[in-house]
Amino acid sequence: MRLHGNQVVLRAVTGSDIGTLDRIVREPEVAAWWSPPEDYGGMLAVVFEGEVVGAVQFHEETDPEFRHAGIDIFLTARQHGKGLGTDTVRTLARWLVEERGHHRLTIDPAAANTAAIRCYAGVGFKPVGIMRAYARDHRTGTWQDGLLMDLLAAELT
């Protein structure tokens, strides 16, 4: 799979990407919100100007009564604030809606991650509610609130 956004290309993570992704996920600005995954398999590398700058993943609920997809993303701090996150999320969201047939998408940033929330709102995601003590901060062991956001297919900007 290879998806083209306005600025980024999303493609399957390869073995040669793992070292780069592992370094990115350990950057202090990224590690504040992400813990290093055990496996990068199933993720898509985010490529900007020929360089891997992060990764994005999705999951799909296939039960017909609850069918939807969810998205998670991280980008190197060097590229924060340049619109690459918005382009990445929009590109993957469009594919999930148009090619995979999802009518609803979710994303669940930490409630304190205002930059991520602003990014997702730019794609059309809307806050649903706070999920209290939702995720454990791998650095401190404390539970942090999450913000559930969703996007209906017709709201994709």
Side-chain angles (χ1 to χ4, degrees):
M1 178 168 67
R2 194 172 194 86
L3 305 175
H4 294 268
N6 291 330
Q7 301 177 79
V8 300
V9 173
L10 310 180
R11 60 154 175 79
V13 168
T14 66
S16 63
D17 299 328
I18 301 217
T20 300
L21 293 174
D22 204 47
R23 281 189 300 278
I24 292 170
V25 82
R26 293 173 194 281
E27 294 173 2
E29 302 88 344
V30 178
W33 313 113
W34 268 81
S35 57
E38 292 180 21
D39 181 15
Y40 291 97
M43 289 186 169
L44 301 173
V46 178
V47 181
F48 174 64
E49 296 181 345
E51 176 189 358
V52 172
V53 297
V56 63
Q57 64 185 4
F58 65 93
H59 64 273
E60 296 178 282
E61 171 59 61
T62 58
D63 182 325
E65 292 184 31
F66 299 98
R67 184 166 164 73
H68 72 281
I71 298 173
D72 290 305
I73 176 178
F74 67 86
L75 296 176
T76 181
R78 288 184 299 103
Q79 300 297 344
H80 288 181
K82 298 180 180 179
L84 301 183
T86 302
D87 191 39
T88 298
V89 172
R90 182 178 290 119
T91 300
L92 183 55
R94 186 164 286 121
W95 179 80
L96 288 166
V97 167
E98 294 175 359
E99 301 298 322
R100 302 291 297 163
H102 290 285
H103 76 287
R104 180 174 166 270
L105 306 176
T106 62
I107 202 160
D108 56 358
N113 192 344
T114 56
I117 293 165
R118 188 172 47 254
C119 166
Y120 308 149
V123 177
F125 282 86
K126 296 183 178 10
V128 174
I130 294 291
M131 299 177 291
R132 299 176 302 146
Y134 177 64
R136 187 182 303 273
D137 183 321
H138 68 279
R139 299 161 308 147
T140 65
T142 60
W143 289 97
Q144 305 295 318
D145 291 347
L147 175 64
L148 178 61
M149 302 177 79
D150 73 0
L151 169 78
L152 299 180
E155 298 167 340
L156 183 59
T157 60

